[in-house]
Amino acid sequence: MVSLKLQKRLAASVLGCGKRKVWLDPNEAGDILMANSRATIRRLVNDGYVIKKPPVVHSRARVRITEAAKRKGRHMGHGKRKGTRDARMPQKIIWMRRMRVLRHMLRKYRDQKKIDRHMYHELYVRCKGNVFKNKRVLMEHIHQAKLEKTRDETIAAQYEARRLKNKAMRERKGADAAPTTTAPEPAAKKS
């Protein structure tokens, strides 16, 4: 077997790849051996005697299957875990995500005029104080607070109406009682 080291190096340079990716036709070794310049190598490439090999396939099919299984929760038991719980999913990240979700919801409700700025501030501080564990709990609390607020307002309105009614009645009674009073009778003479 003749040495085609030079030709392989020149072909790699022409094809723009490594020497391991260059294929030299063994049946045309004589013609290839005569090529000692890049121009002649280019001619051999055009003739098909020198070819750039395709890239080796590194399939990710098995990896995709495993990842899909892991998304379902397979291969994630105690035996597969290396780091601590906090290293795998830090508490701080969980807290930050929760705060962002709750604060975003509060902002949205305030912009939609579902809550006023006073309620917004009170709930914001409560969120920071770890009162609500998720959006659902916060939403339920908001609905409950709004119901209580409306109930208090209706009770206050009823109380005020009753007070005004009673006041009007007292005034009417006072007005009715005033004209019935007569002048005092003259005192009887002593004999």
Side-chain angles (χ1 to χ4, degrees):
M1 182 69 191
V2 291
S3 174
L4 301 172
K5 215 170 178 182
L6 170 70
Q7 286 76 11
K8 187 162 266 201
R9 181 175 65 76
L10 291 174
S13 173
V14 166
L15 294 170
C17 63
K19 284 182 278 191
R20 63 194 287 271
K21 290 288 179 192
V22 174
W23 178 82
L24 304 173
D25 191 346
N27 300 327
E28 305 296 332
D31 291 349
I32 294 169
L33 185 63
M34 300 307 291
N36 59 359
S37 69
R38 286 179 169 76
T40 49
I41 293 288
R42 278 195 199 92
R43 199 174 304 121
L44 291 172
V45 168
N46 291 335
D47 293 343
Y49 298 158
V50 176
I51 297 171
K52 181 180 179 179
K53 289 183 195 172
V56 176
V57 175
H58 183 188
S59 174
R60 282 190 55 80
R62 287 182 299 281
V63 177
R64 287 195 199 98
I65 290 166
T66 310
E67 283 174 352
K70 280 188 174 180
R71 278 196 291 275
K72 287 182 177 176
R74 317 288 188 265
H75 320 291
M76 298 290 278
H78 289 296
K80 289 288 182 184
R81 299 177 199 173
K82 289 283 187 182
T84 61
R85 180 189 292 170
D86 204 55
R88 287 162 65 85
M89 189 69 244
Q91 288 294 309
K92 185 175 181 180
I93 300 291
I94 294 168
W95 170 262
M96 279 159 47
R97 283 180 185 170
R98 199 167 94 205
M99 283 301 102
R100 283 171 185 166
V101 164
L102 295 177
R103 287 171 180 179
H104 180 261
M105 185 179 159
L106 285 176
R107 266 200 307 279
K108 192 172 82 172
Y109 270 36
R110 184 183 61 184
D111 295 341
Q112 292 173 349
K113 302 285 190 284
K114 288 186 179 179
I115 56 174
D116 61 353
R117 62 196 182 91
H118 303 292
M119 188 183 265
Y120 168 85
H121 183 70
E122 183 194 333
L123 294 174
Y124 186 97
V125 174
R126 283 194 179 194
C127 285
K128 189 178 179 181
N130 198 20
V131 175
F132 310 112
K133 68 175 185 176
N134 54 34
K135 246 166 68 167
R136 182 181 54 79
V137 174
L138 176 58
M139 206 180 294
E140 285 173 3
H141 183 275
I142 289 170
H143 292 320
Q144 197 68 32
K146 284 171 78 175
L147 278 172
E148 282 180 18
K149 191 177 177 185
T150 52
R151 194 182 305 125
D152 290 348
E153 283 172 0
T154 53
I155 288 169
Q158 287 171 358
Y159 175 77
E160 186 63 26
R162 195 179 300 123
R163 197 176 66 78
L164 291 171
K165 184 181 168 188
N166 290 342
K167 187 178 178 186
M169 196 179 289
R170 275 198 305 276
E171 286 173 358
R172 231 185 0 261
K173 277 185 184 174
D176 291 347
T180 55
T181 55
T182 54
E185 290 179 13
K189 286 184 183 178
K190 288 183 180 176
S191 46

